[in-house]
């Protein structure tokens, strides 16, 4: 027995011209570099051979540097703003970190 009724949704026509602005392209590049860093970290930690570990580590450093440059570019264009933390908060977090570090020793 063959059914002749098709089940489908109405087709949505694609936009004539879809463009991304510079900020969107930059955000996509930053996300890509972040994903590279995460993947390289996972691969590096699983590398069983020293040369492979060093190679992946260099790739991680390169990706991290590129990520940093892209974030700087985003900041230069005014698409990213930073709010400085109060110095008391920074000092409290630093103390908390130092205390936790002492416990690990």
């Amino acid at each position: 027995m063959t059914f002749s009724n098709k089940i489908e949704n109405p087709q949505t026509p694609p936009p004539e011209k879809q463009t991304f602005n510079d900020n969107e392209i930059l955000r996509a590049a930053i996300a890509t570099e972040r994903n590279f860093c995460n993947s390289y970290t996972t691969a590096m930690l699983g590398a069983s051979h020293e040369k492979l570990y060093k190679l992946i580590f260099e790739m991680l450093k390169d990706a991290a540097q590129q990520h940093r440059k892209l974030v700087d570019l985003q900041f230069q264009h005014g698409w990213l703003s930073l709010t400085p933390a109060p110095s008391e908060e920074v000092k409290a977090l630093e103390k908390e970190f130092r205390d936790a570090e002492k416990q690990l020793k």
Side-chain angles (χ1 to χ4, degrees):
M1 181 174 192
T2 307
F3 293 103
S4 61
N5 294 338
K6 249 190 194 176
I7 299 174
E8 60 185 355
N9 289 320
Q11 194 174 45
T12 304
E16 293 287 325
K17 184 178 179 185
Q18 186 174 8
T19 60
F20 293 101
N21 63 40
D22 291 345
N23 186 19
E24 292 169 328
I25 293 169
L26 190 54
R27 285 194 332 234
I30 289 169
T32 300
E33 289 298 333
R34 185 179 303 120
N35 288 335
F36 282 154
C37 289
N38 290 336
S39 296
Y40 289 147
T41 299
T42 301
M44 186 181 70
L45 295 175
S48 58
H49 191 275
E50 184 67 25
K51 284 186 180 181
L52 179 60
Y53 175 89
K54 288 179 180 179
L55 174 66
I56 297 170
F57 183 63
E58 289 302 316
M59 294 167 70
L60 171 63
K61 287 194 316 188
D62 290 343
Q65 288 171 351
Q66 289 303 317
H67 180 271
R68 181 73 241 151
K69 287 178 184 178
L70 291 170
V71 170
D72 284 342
L73 184 59
Q74 192 179 37
F75 183 74
Q76 289 171 9
H77 284 283
W79 300 327
L80 174 70
S81 60
L82 304 172
T83 305
S87 61
E88 302 84 34
E89 187 177 321
V90 173
K91 288 176 185 177
L93 285 171
E94 183 181 14
K95 182 184 179 326
E96 183 180 327
F97 175 78
R98 298 287 178 223
D99 292 345
E101 189 177 43
K102 286 177 187 175
Q103 289 178 359
L104 292 174
K105 290 182 180 180

